[in-house]
């Protein structure tokens, strides 16, 4: 058996043969297709990436909202908020929990650690709320659990206006025609109707009429619930046919409800119309919406958190003509606020800067290399590296935003470095060593490969730690750091594959140089000579150089300490937000009166394109009730106005401050961080009275701090309130449970949903409430009656005392 022949291959020769640059030079199609594939993946990913103004840094926030009609803040606090907080405090990963107990509503906001998935947190919250539901008051509406993030703010406002339709009809049009079509747009989460007047069958009871006929509100409620029903009646079957039986027991019109029999005691039938006024009217009037000073109904559009904001906004704009054609004649749909305008402009400016930076880099390369072929080679490294980075961003679930585009702009000046040093070394081999292009490319790439790898790794090591920063700052700059690191890594790969191949195929040293080359060469020679003299002077005067450097560093430190500090610098985004807060106890009409004064002031500013005004319903005031309002102003384009948004604010705020009776404040919403106050303090104390005293002291001190404006608190303890104290022994003697009295007041004073009816194939509520004229003063409460022992009517003044 012959012995095996072995051949020793030098290790160094084997390593050189495995060089990536050598493979690329020998196989140019492989190198070209590799770079083309990177670019192709980048282009495809670019089209799939979401567009945002800033990276997604929303913390996991879940809110719980519970409504109990007619309840005051103290009842909400003790019966709902405390019960929920006790259970929710045990949630895993809970960072902070804040609650707001206001009239009729309890709102609890839970912020979790950044590592906690918001979907898991929301599900845990739902489980706890469902478990605690039995401990909450029976009359509460179903608790609402929502995931919240910065994207939950409206991205667009659409005003629905008409001179021929009232707000009830406009609300119906918006609800039946506009809203369903908008919600079919991909990427749109929901469309909320602002200033809605939802249809309801309002039963306005008269306390005097009820008393004179021996009836109570509970009698009316029982009559409506038992006589306004539509229950499936089954079917009739025969051998050949089958009939579905439908029981038409539902009332639909005010006339039918007015004819409903409430009592048939004796020979007299008492109908609902005898003790109440029945009409088709709004279910609740707790908010007002105006667009450019005209009453309207608004639609606020909220996109899905991961959807492309620009694409969603463009889809809404494309859908508007079809929606306008679908609504009745005389109804106009007007697009007011549109966040995509600012995002588009910001992204477009960043993209223009990116392209301009690439063009300038290529120009500088040409000026220094003075060779078109030599310029093309590193010039191709820019799109190959930058575009391929979009693929990395896509797989890491990043977005196109100002910071990622800033990262790519910064990377343009870095990604060409590796290609330039490979190109320069290959050029040197052709010019000085007279190698042929392929040999020069092979030898030049081999000599410089380790330097390219070392440079790439060092640059990645600088930017990749940004991905490991903690908190909001870390999440904000994570995409920035990884985008730069990805671009630099890809540029290193391109410098070792595409660049050597191009050097071998197209790089040539011209036999002689033209006039342009010689002129620039003399300039570069003069520059080198000047630098040589300056370097020699510095070496001869080392002490002076060190002293100058020390002075510069010390001066820079002093300047740094005196610089202002802020998270995001203010900018003119073409919008202004105005918040208005009226005193506690103010009605919707009172707040609206002052909001109209603000709108009259806005009419004197020609820079305002349009504005959206919301009164009540959380429209912008700090209370979130009917004593709060907000105005969202959109300014004209920058090219059409002489003043910036901060300058307009300086002229607007003094006029707002002169409005008596309310607190009105205008601000320029920041580009990042939402619409909240820039500085917030939290004051805590287990005793409510001590908390109120401490808050007053804090407010007085804060208002003396220079630079703080619009100092206010969300703790409201001065709302006028009537207290009802029961004489329980007398109530027991008369056979009246306290719950019946409280339930009667809740129905007559706060309004109660007792049944439903259908109109245009939609379901609406039947609301029972005391006539507004009979509940205008505290003395009107004394006439409310409940049924006692033996069916006798007992008035409230026989059972309780009413005091302010």
């Amino acid at each position: 058996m012959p012995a095996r022949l072995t051949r020793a291959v030098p290790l160094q020769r084997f390593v050189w043969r495995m060089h990536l640059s050598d493979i690329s030079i020998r196989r140019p199609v492989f190198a070209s297709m590799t770079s083309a594939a990177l670019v192709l993946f980048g282009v495809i990913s670019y089209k799939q990436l979401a567009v945002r103004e800033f990276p997604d840094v929303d913390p996991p926030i879940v809110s719980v909202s519970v409504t109990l009609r007619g309840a005051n803040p103290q009842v909400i606090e003790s019966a709902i908020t405390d019960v929920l907080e006790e259970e929710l405090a045990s949630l895993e990963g809970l960072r902070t929990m804040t609650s707001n107990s206001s009239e009729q509503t309890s709102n609890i906001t839970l912020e979790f650690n950044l590592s906690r998935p918001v979907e898991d947190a929301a599900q845990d919250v739902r489980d706890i709320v469902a478990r605690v539901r039995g401990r909450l008051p029976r009359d509460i509406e179903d608790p609402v659990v929502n995931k919240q993030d910065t994207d939950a703010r409206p991205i667009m406002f659409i005003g629905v206006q008409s001179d021929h339709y009232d707000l009830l009809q406009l609300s119906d049009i918006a609800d039946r025609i506009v809203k369903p079509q908008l919600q079919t747009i991909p990427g749109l989460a929901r469309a909320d109707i602002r200033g809605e007047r939802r249809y309801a069958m309002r039963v306005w009871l008269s306390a005097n009429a009820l008393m004179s006929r021996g009836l109570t509100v509970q009698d009316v409620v029982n009559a409506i619930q038992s006589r306004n029903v539509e229950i499936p009646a089954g079917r009739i079957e025969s051998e050949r046919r089958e009939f579905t039986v439908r029981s038409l027991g539902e009332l639909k019109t005010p006339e039918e409800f007015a004819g409903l029999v409430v009592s048939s005691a004796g020979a007299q039938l008492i109908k609902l119309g005898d003790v109440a006024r029945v009409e088709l009217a709004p279910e609740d009037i707790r908010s007002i919406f105006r667009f450019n000073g005209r009453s309207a109904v608004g639609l606020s559009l909220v996109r899905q958190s991961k959807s492309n904001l620009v694409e969603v906004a463009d889809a809404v704009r494309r859908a508007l003509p079809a929606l306008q054609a679908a609504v009745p004649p005389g109804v106009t749909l007007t697009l007011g606020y549109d966040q995509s305008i600012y995002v588009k402009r910001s992204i477009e400016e960043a993209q223009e800067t990116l392209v301009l930076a690439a063009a300038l880099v290529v120009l500088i390369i040409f000026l220094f290399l003075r060779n078109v072929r030599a310029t093309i080679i590193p010039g191709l490294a820019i799109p190959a590296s930058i575009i391929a980075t979009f693929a990395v961003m896509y797989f890491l679930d990043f977005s196109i935003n100002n910071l990622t585009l800033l990262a790519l702009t910064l990377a343009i000046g870095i990604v060409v470095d590796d290609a330039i040093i490979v190109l320069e070394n290959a050029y040197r081999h052709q010019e000085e060593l007279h190698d042929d292009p392929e040999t020069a490319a092979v030898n030049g790439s081999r000599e410089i490969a380790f330097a390219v790898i070392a440079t790439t790794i060092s640059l990645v090591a600088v930017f990749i730690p940004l991905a490991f920063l903690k908190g909001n700052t870390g999440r904000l700059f994570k995409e920035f750091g990884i985008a730069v690191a990805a671009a630099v890594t890809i540029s290193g790969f391109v410098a070792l594959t595409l660049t050597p191949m191009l050097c071998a195929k197209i790089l040539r040293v011209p036999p002689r140089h033209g006039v342009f080359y010689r002129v620039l060469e003399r300039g570069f020679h003069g520059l080198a000579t000047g630098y040589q003299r300056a370097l020699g002077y510095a070496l001869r005067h080392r002490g002076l150089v060190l002293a100058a450097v020390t002075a510069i560093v010390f001066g820079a430190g002093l300047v740094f300490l005196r610089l202002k500090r802020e998270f995001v610098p203010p900018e003119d985004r073409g919008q202004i937000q105005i918040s208005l807060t009226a005193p506690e106890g103010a009605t919707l009409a009172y707040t609206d009166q002052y909001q109209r004064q603000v709108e009259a002031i806005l009419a004197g500013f020609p820079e305002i394109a349009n504005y959206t005004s919301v009164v009540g319903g959380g429209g912008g005031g700090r209370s979130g009730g009917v004593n709060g309002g907000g105005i969202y102003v959109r300014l004209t384009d920058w090219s059409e106005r002489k003043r910036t948004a901060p300058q307009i604010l300086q002229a607007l705020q003094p006029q707002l401050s002169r409005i008596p009776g309310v607190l009105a404040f205008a601000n320029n919403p920041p580009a990042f961080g939402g619409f909240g106050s820039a500085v917030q303090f939290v004051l805590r104390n287990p005793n409510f009275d001590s908390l109120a005293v401490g808050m007053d002291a804090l407010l007085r001190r804060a208002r003396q701090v220079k630079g703080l404006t619009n100092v206010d608190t969300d703790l409201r303890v001065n709302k006028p309130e009537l207290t009802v104290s029961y004489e329980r022994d007398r109530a027991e003697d008369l056979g009246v449970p306290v719950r019946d009295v409280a339930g009667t007041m809740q129905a007559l004073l706060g309004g109660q949903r007792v049944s439903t009816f259908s109109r245009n194939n939609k379901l609406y509520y039947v609301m029972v409430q005391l006539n507004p004229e009979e509940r205008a003063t505290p003395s009107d409460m004394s006439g409310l009656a409940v049924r006692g022992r033996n069916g006798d009517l007992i008035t409230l003044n026989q059972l309780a005392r009413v005091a302010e």
Side-chain angles (χ1 to χ4, degrees), residues 410-426:
L410 174 65
I412 284 178
I414 300 175
V415 297
V416 296
D417 292 347
D418 295 337
I420 288 175
I421 59 177
V422 172
L423 165 73
E424 192 276 335
N425 206 38

Side-chain angles (χ1 to χ4, degrees), residues 705-784:
V705 176
K706 184 178 179 181
L708 290 182
T709 59
N710 194 30
V711 178
D712 199 8
T713 175
D714 58 2
L715 177 63
R716 310 287 179 175
V717 296
N718 58 347
K719 182 171 183 176
E721 182 180 72
L722 297 176
T723 58
V724 179
S725 303
Y726 297 104
E727 298 182 11
R728 297 186 180 272
D729 293 339
R730 184 167 179 77
E732 291 296 329
D733 290 340
L734 296 174
V736 180
V738 172
R739 179 175 179 81
D740 290 354
V741 182
T744 298
M745 288 192 296
Q746 181 187 34
L748 292 179
L749 302 180
Q752 183 178 4
R753 296 171 176 173
V754 299
S755 186
T756 60
F757 73 102
S758 59
R759 185 177 187 274
N760 294 331
N761 295 322
K762 291 187 74 69
L763 202 64
Y764 301 99
Y765 290 110
V766 178
M767 302 284 297
V768 171
Q769 196 171 7
L770 193 64
N771 205 347
E773 290 78 10
E774 298 186 38
R775 52 183 172 90
T777 61
S779 61
D780 291 333
M781 295 178 59
S782 61
L784 303 183

Side-chain angles (χ1 to χ4, degrees), residues 654-702:
Q655 299 186 49
L656 298 179
S657 302
R658 288 195 290 268
I659 300 178
V662 295
L663 178 64
F665 180 75
N667 72 315
N668 181 21
F672 180 80
F675 296 89
S677 301
V679 179
Q680 295 181 352
F681 292 95
V682 177
L683 191 65
R684 295 184 293 182
N685 194 295
N687 185 278
F688 186 81
D689 294 333
S690 300
L691 182 65
V693 173
M695 181 58 71
D696 291 339
L698 178 62
L699 282 177
R700 288 194 300 270
R701 181 68 184 90

Side-chain angles (χ1 to χ4, degrees), residues 53 153-159 289 291-292 299-301 309 313 316-317 334-343 573-577 610-612 631-635 669-670 675:
E53 192 168 12
R153 294 197 305 268
I155 63 170
M156 304 177 86
F157 271 116
I158 296 178
F289 185 91
F291 184 74
N292 288 340
L299 286 154
S300 61
L301 309 184
L309 185 148
V316 171
R317 288 178 176 273
T334 308
L335 183 61
Y337 171 77
D338 184 359
Q339 185 184 352
S340 69
I341 294 176
Y342 320 116
V343 175
R573 296 167 54 82
Q575 60 177 325
I576 293 174
Q577 180 190 12
N610 60 60
Y611 61 87
T612 301
I631 301 178
Y632 306 90
V633 180
R634 185 169 72 87
L635 303 176
F675 296 89

